[in-house]
Structure formats: C-alpha cells, structure tokens
Amino acid sequence: MEKKEKMPFSEWLENIWYHYKWLILFGAVVVAFTAFSLTQCAQNKAIDVKLFHVGPMTISDAAAQHLKASIADFAEDCNGDGEVNVDLLDITVNKFGNESAGIDPVNYDHNNKAMQRFQVEVRAGKAYLYALDKEFFDICVEEEVLTPFSEIFDESEMPENVIDGYGIYLSDLDVYDLPGFSSVPGTAILCLRRSPEDDDLSYGRTNEGW
C-alpha cells in the first residue's frame, strides 16, 4: 500500500482557505462582534437619571456634558453604586423653514423618523424625565403617559404656571440658570413619565427606576 504523502502546512492552509473562506470570515465577524459587545457591556455604567428631550434645537456634545453634570449635582444615586450617572436622549425636529432667509426647508422625512423614535421611546424607552416641545407634550398628555403634578406635589407646594396639570416650562424653573440647561429651549416643558404600576405602556420599566 502506497503511503500517502503528508501535505505541507502552507498547502493545507491554502486548501482550507479555498474551501472554507466564507465560513472562516463569518466566524471571525461573530467573534469580533461578541468581543466588542462584551467590552461595551463592561464599560457601560448603570444610569440613575435619563432625560429625554424632543425639540427644534440639537444639544451639542459640550452642552450635553454640562447639562448632565448639573443634573447629577442634585440627583440621587438610585442604584447605590456610589456615583450619579445621567444619560440624555436628544431628538431634534425640524419645525421651521424659510429658504429666502437662509433657513433650510422643513425636512419632513427627518421629522417622520423623529416621530417614530419618539413613539418608540414613549412605549419602550427607559427615560422618566422628559423635556418636550409643546406638540410632543400634547401627545403624551393625550396618551395619558405622564404623571399629574397633583400626585407629585402637595397643594401648598404646587409650582406656578403648571401646564395642563402635567408639566412646567424649563424657563420658569431656577435650574434653568445652571450650566447646560440654557442649551434646551426655555419653552421645553419638563414633565415626569407615569409610574410603571399605573402605566399601560410599561414595557419593562420598574418602580425602582421611577
């Protein structure tokens, strides 16, 4: 019986690559994605406060850092990890357009996508603190997803200028003078998401977070 010659390693490698190239590439992508996901999970910090902003102005990265730092100064460490971590979700809507004045026309495709993101956050997001443009505030009031101020404050502590019983303009609050808050329009309405136990759209929200 003739002895089969042993294939050189380089030839074997070339043969494997030729026959299994796409399987190897797919496996490499899966491994890389898994490693990246695990790294991201390890680096992610537990969030104590998440602010959800929807309005005509985009909050810059620098302003967002100031805003989150200001909120962290008076917020509580809800999860007991020794630090207060604040997250911000900012959705910009293009409300105005005037080409003759050099203002871009209203981008309705962008606004449709913004509305979809808004609806997803209302139904499945983790934010409880909202700062909303009036149109989006009205939607939340109509869908009954906000906490009435009467459930938050005693009558003697009720703020002035409460809007529809559910919110207040940011510019009417003392915190509006803090760093970062001026990056949000003063006409944005600050409101609180309804407690999960009273919310028909809870989708995984917990009372601990609220």
Side-chain angles (χ1 to χ4, degrees), residues 43 51 63 72 79 81-82 90 97 120 141 145 156 163 167 187 194 197:
Q43 292 177 346
L51 175 64
N79 50 45
D81 62 358
D90 182 27
V120 168
V141 171
V145 298
S156 60
I163 305 167
T187 54
R194 184 175 287 278
E197 64 182 8

Side-chain angles (χ1 to χ4, degrees), residues 24-35:
I24 293 171
L25 288 174
F26 176 75
V29 170
V30 170
V31 171
F33 178 77
T34 302

Side-chain angles (χ1 to χ4, degrees), residues 114-125:
M115 175 58 79
Q116 291 172 1
R117 289 186 63 199
F118 167 75
Q119 292 289 357
V120 168
E121 178 61 30
V122 167
R123 283 158 175 74

Side-chain angles (χ1 to χ4, degrees), residues 177-195:
D177 294 327
L178 296 176
F181 274 92
S182 60
S183 62
V184 182
T187 54
I189 301 173
L190 191 69
C191 44
L192 185 67
R193 191 71 163 78
R194 184 175 287 278
S195 167

Side-chain angles (χ1 to χ4, degrees), residues 102-191:
I103 302 174
D104 292 336
V106 174
N107 187 331
Y108 292 103
D109 181 59
H110 170 84
N111 283 353
N112 287 336
K113 292 178 180 178
M115 175 58 79
Q116 291 172 1
R117 289 186 63 199
F118 167 75
Q119 292 289 357
V120 168
E121 178 61 30
V122 167
R123 283 158 175 74
K126 300 297 184 182
Y128 293 100
L129 191 62
Y130 289 3
L132 305 175
D133 197 56
K134 184 64 165 62
E135 289 86 349
F136 293 89
F137 171 77
D138 289 341
I139 292 172
C140 287
V141 171
E142 183 177 348
E143 295 189 1
E144 299 181 343
V145 298
L146 301 178
T147 303
F149 272 28
S150 59
E151 295 181 8
I152 304 173
F153 301 100
D154 294 332
E155 186 174 348
S156 60
E157 299 175 340
M158 184 69 66
E160 297 180 0
N161 305 324
V162 174
I163 305 167
D164 297 333
Y166 292 95
I168 188 169
Y169 287 120
L170 269 179
S171 57
D172 287 340
L173 300 173
D174 293 338
V175 296
Y176 196 62
D177 294 327
L178 296 176
F181 274 92
S182 60
S183 62
V184 182
T187 54
I189 301 173
L190 191 69
C191 44

